[in-house]
Amino acid sequence: MGERALRQAQKRRSGAKGARHRPWPLSQRPGYLIRRLHQIHVALFQDACGAFEVTPLQYSLLSALAVRETADQTTLAADIALDRTTTTGALKRLAARHLVERAVNKDDRRARLCRLTPEGAALLVKIEGAARQAHRATLGDLSEREQALFIEMMQRIVAGNPTRDSAAALFD
């Protein structure tokens, strides 16, 4: 291929105006940063809470049950903004460890009512300090003012997207 033909082919590949695609650096993408922040938090949570053998998701479920006392799995899934199937799996694992009771709802035999067992309530008390430490460590590189602002901004984003979740995003 001649030099002129090569230049023309390159020009066609680069677009009509000769514009080049400029990649968007990962370090500037909110989605990438949010995913990395989540990975960092999970690692910090495991460092602080690993001895309790509870994941951040399970900790959220135990915390939600402590507030509600008794709740069906669908309500708990909504409380922690997770799908029912994943929530049910986590609750089954907690029940296998005798941290949560799951009883058939007498008013709706398809539903399960959940509540903390005494062992679950005791574990929640024991893990609370370590879990708070993990949350503080997640934001540890920010000043107190920046932490408060960051939390406020995240709350605003979450509040502005109450019906958005990963399943809905697949079909939008």
Side-chain angles (χ1 to χ4, degrees):
M1 181 179 275
E3 195 173 313
R4 182 174 178 204
L6 184 59
R7 280 196 309 268
Q8 288 175 336
Q10 287 173 333
K11 189 174 181 179
R12 280 193 303 272
R13 280 195 301 267
S14 66
K17 296 180 181 176
R20 285 191 47 195
H21 169 72
R22 293 177 196 225
W24 188 10
L26 289 174
S27 64
Q28 295 176 10
R29 297 179 192 181
Y32 168 79
L33 293 169
I34 291 164
R35 183 178 58 78
R36 281 294 296 132
L37 185 58
H38 179 258
Q39 290 171 330
I40 291 164
H41 173 70
V42 169
L44 290 167
F45 187 92
Q46 283 308 115
D47 288 347
C49 303
F52 300 102
E53 298 180 0
V54 172
T55 67
L57 166 64
Q58 292 171 338
Y59 171 65
S60 293
L61 283 168
L62 293 172
S63 299
L65 275 172
V67 170
R68 287 199 176 268
E69 294 183 8
T70 302
D72 64 85
Q73 294 175 162
T74 302
T75 300
L76 288 170
D79 283 352
I80 64 168
L82 202 61
D83 65 277
R84 254 189 0 227
T85 302
T86 304
T87 301
T88 299
L91 286 166
K92 285 180 180 179
R93 287 185 287 284
L94 290 169
R97 293 181 55 198
H98 307 289
L99 300 174
V100 169
E101 290 178 351
R102 296 171 61 241
V104 174
N105 184 343
K106 64 180 171 122
D107 297 328
D108 180 355
R109 307 268 317 142
R110 297 168 297 166
R112 297 266 181 161
L113 291 177
C114 302
R115 69 182 178 100
L116 286 178
T117 63
E119 295 92 341
L123 176 66
L124 192 55
V125 168
K126 283 190 241 178
I127 195 175
E128 191 66 31
R132 286 178 185 256
Q133 176 188 335
H135 285 274
R136 281 192 300 273
T138 300
L139 302 179
D141 289 330
L142 303 176
S143 69
E144 284 187 32
R145 183 181 161 281
E146 289 169 329
Q147 289 178 25
L149 184 59
F150 186 64
I151 295 288
E152 182 185 323
M153 288 187 292
M154 289 189 297
Q155 289 170 332
R156 208 164 72 210
I157 292 167
V158 169
N161 294 278
T163 60
R164 289 279 182 201
D165 61 29
S166 58
L170 292 173
F171 303 105
D172 283 349

